[in-house]
Amino acid sequence: MIFSSLLLLASLLLIAFSPKSSFFGVLDRAHPTHPEWSLIVDTTTNAFHSWSWDPLLVLLLGDTGVAGSWLLPLVHLGVFTIGTIFVLRHSFDSSWLRACIDAALSSVIVVALFGLHPVILGTLTWLPWCVLCCRPSWLLKQNSHLRPAIALFFILRLVRTAHQLSPLALGFTFLFAFSQSSKDTRHRSQVVFLSLFSVVAFALSLYQSFEVPLPPLPDYPIYSQVVPDDGVPGRVSPLLTSYAPLQLIDRSLVRYSLSLFALLGLLLSCLSYLFTNTAGVKRYARISTVLFIILYFDTYAAESWSIISPIQTVRRLLPGTFFLSLSPFILCASLLFLWWTLLRNRLLLKAFFFLLLWLINPFDHHSVAITAGKTLTPPLSIPEDSLERTWAVSPSYALYRQNGRKAITRARTTQLHFHKLGNLKPTLLASNHNAPKALHRMVDGRGKTRWSEHTGKQSGNEWVQISLPEPIVVEALDLNVGKFTSDFPRGIRITSWPTPCTTREPETAQIVVEKEKWLGTVGFSEKGFPYYKPQHQVIAVFSQPTKTQCLLLEQTGTANFDWSIARLRLARIFHQTSSRGE
């Protein structure tokens, strides 16, 4: 117990001194047609959906803010912690002091991993209370007709707080509750009652799932995208609710963030199972192991296989969950089951668990996020009443995260004007296919001709050098692929020198464009929502207007297609007087 107390103290200190600017993990705005609901976008997974806190707690506290308000999430966390105290005291026959410390550590795990994330907290708030009241040994006690009513009350609270995730949360509730029940033979009437009670509970959760208002999707044009494509042909659609015309969840980020954590959690679950002798604790270890295996399949397998994994299948089957990413909730449940397994295990495993939690945090909202080798900007701080808040709290948030608010604002308020590079009579050089006739195809102004490496693939080491007769200010390049729409660069880096290429020095080099994965040129819908245009429209806007005489274009990605340039043009920028969508 001393070790657990020290862990709790150290964890509370780390949380207390963590930056709180992005502690909620979401941005929110009011729902345009349902004032009691908020629209939220997850700053990590890019999930965009409707959400609200528990209506009962909202009524009691008089606060409705989903993100930014501290009172409601802390009250929800307190309700979860108190319920966990009773669950741990019953499950492990702990003293009140030890149960309080272990429950506080359980809440610390949630906060350390997800902050005060409304979806995670809302789903967990009433879950331990439902576990307590849905235990067959408690629910079926003779001469107590009030207990089913109490259990139904807490289930209703869970349903009204977990919303779209309530069927999944109820599944964990009954799994946990029934795993604690004895194997004594029950009367047939008791079995029928438990079955009917479970059916009623799931029916209530499904009804609430259908009642959640769908988020209004922006007016994106056809073939647009906001997150990297998952590489699977076609579009996945849910079976019971509305269909999104484009991919919303950033699967590359989810896979990159969770894969290592899923593997280490699986190994730790297996170790805890091997070193546990108590039958009840072994049940939790088995549940944790199974959940981590499911999470591992979702993050490590190829996307063509992950798309049929249990997590993605449930996401398509449950109403309303298609707009969410279920992987973070599965991770949370897996870690809680694992932690409850470690409560009666060796201290070394406990220490390793918390070391893993703090050092390899897949959803670290306290620092700059890293995903797929790409450094992302911290979550945005945008005034609530601004029009930009409407644009950001949408699937377009991914573009703000990947490019930065400044770059999106610049793209919105500027207009590109292109000039043929051939008019400047540049000297061209390439990593391959350097015949003058082939290089001239870049600047002949014809979309039917092209320069390419003619290797049939992109290896990540291709380059084109442009040497200009004299320095000029360049603000963007158009690397038009013409009719060869599959030959766009998968990654691109452009380096500039203010001197001729023959005398360039490393000290004067300036990287003006760097896209490790080319997603497309930023465009804007009629209502002002940013999105990525088709990837074959390769317009590389410089980070700032740059005076240059030498440009090095590097293709840094890999693909089984050539890299082609049909029309190479320079762009100048004329600032507009107003923003799109205003």
Side-chain angles (χ1 to χ4, degrees):
M1 190 162 60
I2 296 177
F3 181 75
S4 297
S5 302
L6 292 175
L7 272 180
L8 178 60
L9 179 61
S11 300
L12 289 176
L13 288 174
L14 285 172
I15 292 175
F17 289 100
S18 298
K20 304 302 187 295
S21 59
S22 56
F23 210 58
F24 297 92
V26 299
L27 281 181
D28 71 318
R29 61 181 170 94
H31 197 290
T33 57
H34 297 77
E36 69 276 15
W37 291 85
S38 294
L39 292 173
I40 65 173
V41 60
D42 191 291
T43 57
T44 303
T45 65
N46 207 53
F48 174 62
H49 55 92
S50 304
W51 198 261
S52 68
W53 290 115
D54 183 354
L56 178 60
L57 296 181
V58 168
L59 179 65
L60 293 175
L61 299 175
D63 193 1
T64 59
V66 172
S69 170
W70 290 86
L71 181 60
L72 271 171
L74 289 177
V75 170
H76 281 73
L77 184 65
V79 173
F80 168 74
T81 305
I82 295 172
T84 306
I85 292 174
F86 288 100
V87 169
L88 295 179
R89 178 166 168 77
H90 172 267
S91 300
F92 300 109
D93 198 22
S94 303
S95 64
W96 282 107
L97 178 60
R98 182 161 188 173
C100 289
I101 294 174
D102 291 340
L105 281 170
S106 301
S107 298
V108 163
I109 291 171
V110 175
V111 175
L113 197 62
F114 300 100
L116 299 177
H117 198 292
V119 176
I120 299 298
L121 283 184
T123 306
L124 292 179
T125 299
W126 296 103
L127 199 149
W129 297 94
C130 291
V131 168
L132 287 170
C133 297
C134 292
R135 289 177 290 120
S137 59
W138 189 89
L139 194 60
L140 299 175
K141 191 170 183 178
Q142 295 180 352
N143 302 323
S144 179
H145 301 292
L146 186 60
R147 296 195 175 197
I150 296 175
L152 193 59
F153 168 79
F154 284 119
I155 286 175
L156 284 172
R157 296 269 50 82
L158 174 64
V159 166
R160 294 300 303 275
T161 310
H163 304 305
Q164 304 97 310
L165 292 178
S166 57
L168 199 59
L170 278 177
F172 283 111
T173 295
F174 288 118
L175 178 66
F176 195 105
F178 291 167
S179 68
Q180 301 182 64
S181 62
S182 62
K183 297 184 178 180
D184 297 338
T185 303
R186 298 191 184 97
H187 192 271
R188 180 178 297 178
S189 61
Q190 293 178 325
V191 174
V192 171
F193 174 79
L194 287 176
S195 301
L196 289 175
F197 186 84
S198 302
V199 169
V200 170
F202 278 106
L204 289 172
S205 67
L206 288 174
Y207 175 78
Q208 174 64 19
S209 299
F210 280 109
E211 287 293 303
V212 177
L214 293 174
L217 292 177
D219 55 331
Y220 298 122
I222 191 171
Y223 301 128
S224 59
Q225 63 177 12
V226 292
V227 296
D229 188 77
D230 58 14
V232 180
R235 285 279 181 265
V236 177
S237 59
L239 296 181
L240 299 176
T241 53
S242 295
Y243 162 73
L246 74 170
Q247 183 179 333
L248 303 179
I249 306 299
D250 192 340
R251 284 289 299 163
S252 63
L253 189 151
V254 172
R255 292 168 64 86
Y256 180 85
S257 301
L258 294 185
S259 56
L260 179 60
F261 212 93
L263 176 61
L264 294 177
L266 178 59
L267 294 176
L268 193 57
S269 294
C270 294
L271 287 175
S272 63
Y273 180 80
L274 293 176
F275 289 115
T276 298
N277 298 320
T278 307
V281 178
K282 273 187 176 293
R283 286 198 295 268
Y284 301 153
R286 282 196 295 268
I287 294 173
S288 174
T289 302
V290 170
L291 290 177
F292 273 116
I293 289 174
I294 292 174
L295 190 63
Y296 182 84
F297 183 29
D298 182 61
T299 56
Y300 258 98
E303 190 66 21
S304 56
W305 286 100
S306 295
I307 207 168
I308 59 173
S309 67
I311 293 178
Q312 298 305 318
T313 301
V314 169
R315 181 169 165 257
R316 292 193 298 273
L317 290 176
L318 290 182
T321 55
F322 184 73
F323 295 93
L324 288 80
S325 176
L326 301 184
S327 303
F329 176 70
I330 299 298
L331 172 65
C332 183
S334 306
L335 288 174
L336 287 177
F337 275 110
L338 175 58
W339 170 241
W340 293 332
T341 302
L342 297 177
L343 289 178
R344 297 298 179 265
N345 222 310
R346 303 191 178 189
L347 297 182
L348 182 61
L349 291 180
K350 286 185 182 180
F352 180 74
F353 176 85
F354 269 85
L355 187 65
L356 173 68
L357 187 68
W358 285 106
L359 295 184
I360 315 177
N361 191 330
F363 295 107
D364 188 357
H365 296 298
H366 314 142
S367 63
V368 175
I370 305 295
T371 172
K374 170 70 177 176
T375 303
L376 304 178
T377 57
L380 305 176
S381 177
I382 301 177
E384 292 189 9
D385 297 331
S386 66
L387 183 57
E388 190 177 11
R389 183 83 171 196
T390 302
W391 294 328
V393 182
S394 72
S396 297
Y397 180 84
L399 280 83
Y400 284 92
R401 185 188 63 205
Q402 293 154 359
N403 299 277
R405 183 181 177 187
K406 182 179 179 181
I408 296 297
T409 301
R410 182 185 174 195
R412 186 189 302 278
T413 57
T414 56
Q415 182 179 9
L416 295 171
H417 182 71
F418 296 98
H419 299 271
K420 292 181 180 179
L421 182 61
N423 294 340
L424 300 176
K425 302 186 183 305
T427 301
L428 301 176
L429 190 64
S431 55
N432 196 17
H433 207 202
N434 262 308
K437 185 177 180 180
L439 293 173
H440 181 69
R441 292 171 186 161
M442 295 189 209
V443 294
D444 62 5
R446 300 173 60 195
K448 296 182 179 180
T449 61
R450 60 165 175 165
W451 167 90
S452 73
E453 290 244 330
H454 284 187
T455 58
K457 64 178 181 179
Q458 297 179 23
S459 302
N461 55 7
E462 298 85 4
W463 55 267
V464 170
Q465 179 181 279
I466 305 171
S467 183
L468 300 172
E470 59 184 18
I472 62 171
V473 176
V474 179
E475 305 191 70
L477 281 179
D478 180 12
L479 311 180
N480 195 298
V481 299
K483 67 177 185 178
F484 309 97
T485 55
S486 297
D487 292 0
F488 60 88
R490 268 49 183 188
I492 187 169
R493 180 191 301 118
I494 300 179
T495 309
S496 168
W497 286 267
T499 59
C501 294
T502 54
T503 60
R504 68 187 192 190
E505 297 290 340
E507 295 80 10
T508 60
Q510 180 184 1
I511 297 177
V512 292
V513 175
E514 185 162 22
K515 302 290 183 182
E516 296 184 20
K517 186 171 183 179
W518 176 255
L519 299 178
T521 303
V522 176
F524 296 89
S525 72
E526 292 184 2
K527 294 183 179 179
F529 291 92
Y531 65 91
Y532 288 118
K533 296 179 180 180
Q535 290 174 288
H536 66 268
Q537 299 180 22
V538 187
I539 299 176
V541 180
F542 290 8
S543 56
Q544 61 184 12
T546 303
K547 189 174 184 179
T548 182
Q549 192 173 356
C550 178
L551 291 168
L552 179 64
L553 286 57
E554 297 176 88
Q555 197 292 123
T556 58
T558 57
N560 292 321
F561 294 95
D562 278 316
W563 175 34
S564 297
I565 299 178
R567 286 179 295 181
L568 187 55
R569 301 187 295 173
L570 297 177
R572 298 177 184 177
I573 297 179
F574 297 93
H575 289 271
Q576 297 177 342
T577 58
S578 61
S579 301
R580 291 180 181 88
E582 294 184 348

